[in-house]
């Protein structure tokens, strides 16, 4: 009965989010949209969810761009390593051999990395408009996240996050 209730709740959320229509409009399958929603759930909060979804689609839609179609999402590496999704990763960890490692593999991972909520499903189906290719959460306590289409600016944001980690116990 618990499993039946969970499936019914997911169906309700999928309908509320317009999952099937959004998938068709965006050129993805509903399953792929759920994978995007799971990435959004793992990586973003509130108002940033549609922006993170846009970054994901921008990377997927431009396999010749600066990330060459790789999503490079830290949460997927943590998933591949069997750890909590919000843990900071090292360069060495981005080399883990797994189909879920989006630093090594082009495109979406083979499936969701966690159960997305309604807000993440909506963001995946209605991504923000923007040309962003990069984002960094520079303050884990507040969730402040910065977005940019420019790799050099991304590196500045990454340095800001590293400085935050050096002075915070949140990392």
């Amino acid at each position: 009965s618990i499993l039946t209730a969970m499936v019914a709740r997911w169906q309700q959320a999928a309908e509320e989010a317009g999952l099937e229509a959004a998938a068709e409009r965006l050129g993805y399958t509903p399953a792929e949209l759920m994978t995007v929603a799971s990435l959004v759930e793992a990586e973003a909060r509130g108002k940033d969810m549609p922006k993170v979804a846009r970054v994901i689609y921008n990377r997927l839609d431009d396999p010749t761009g600066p990330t060459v179609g790789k999503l490079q999402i830290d949460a997927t590496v943590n998933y591949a390593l069997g750890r909590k999704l919000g843990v900071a990763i090292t360069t060495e960890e981005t080399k883990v051999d797994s189909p879920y490692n989006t630093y090594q593999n082009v495109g979406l991972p083979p499936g969701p990395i966690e159960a997305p909520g309604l807000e993440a499903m909506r963001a995946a189906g209605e991504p923000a408009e923007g040309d962003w290719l990069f984002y960094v959460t520079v303050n884990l306590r507040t969730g402040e996240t910065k977005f940019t289409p420019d790799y050099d600016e991304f590196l500045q944001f990454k340095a800001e996050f590293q400085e935050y980690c050096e002075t915070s116990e949140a990392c």
Side-chain angles (χ1 to χ4, degrees):
S1 66
I2 292 173
L3 185 56
T4 300
M6 289 172 57
V7 170
R9 176 62 190 117
W10 176 83
Q11 288 174 327
Q12 178 187 6
E15 287 176 21
E16 286 179 38
L19 181 71
E20 289 191 24
E24 186 174 328
R25 183 178 67 255
L26 293 167
Y28 292 90
T29 67
E32 290 169 328
L33 210 70
M34 286 300 295
T35 298
V36 171
S38 79
L39 300 173
V40 169
E41 183 74 35
E43 289 282 306
R45 296 182 192 175
K47 66 178 177 41
D48 289 331
M49 286 182 156
K51 289 180 176 181
V52 169
R54 173 50 58 203
V55 170
I56 291 168
Y57 291 125
N58 286 349
R59 288 181 179 188
L60 291 172
D61 293 344
D62 188 7
T64 62
T67 66
V68 292
K70 294 178 183 174
L71 297 180
Q72 299 177 336
I73 293 177
D74 292 1
T76 64
V77 173
N78 282 320
Y79 181 83
L81 293 169
R83 309 195 297 212
K84 183 178 171 189
L85 298 182
V87 175
I89 62 171
T90 66
T91 301
E92 187 61 32
E93 290 168 336
T94 65
K95 297 175 185 168
V96 65
D97 183 23
S98 169
Y100 284 89
N101 182 350
T102 58
Y103 278 84
Q104 298 294 320
N105 301 300
V106 172
L108 288 169
I113 62 170
E114 72 172 291
L118 178 58
E119 193 174 8
M121 291 170 66
R122 283 185 172 143
E126 299 175 24
E129 290 297 320
D131 60 353
W132 313 291
L133 289 169
F134 307 97
Y135 62 92
V136 177
T137 300
V138 297
N139 185 315
L140 298 177
R141 186 179 53 76
T142 65
E144 178 186 2
T145 303
K146 295 184 177 183
F147 295 82
T148 182
D150 181 73
Y151 183 71
D152 290 331
E153 188 172 33
F154 161 72
L155 292 177
Q156 292 171 3
F157 297 161
K158 192 172 177 180
E160 185 178 338
F161 172 69
Q162 289 167 337
E163 182 178 324
Y164 168 82
C165 283
E166 290 172 9
T167 62
S168 169
E169 295 192 14
C171 297

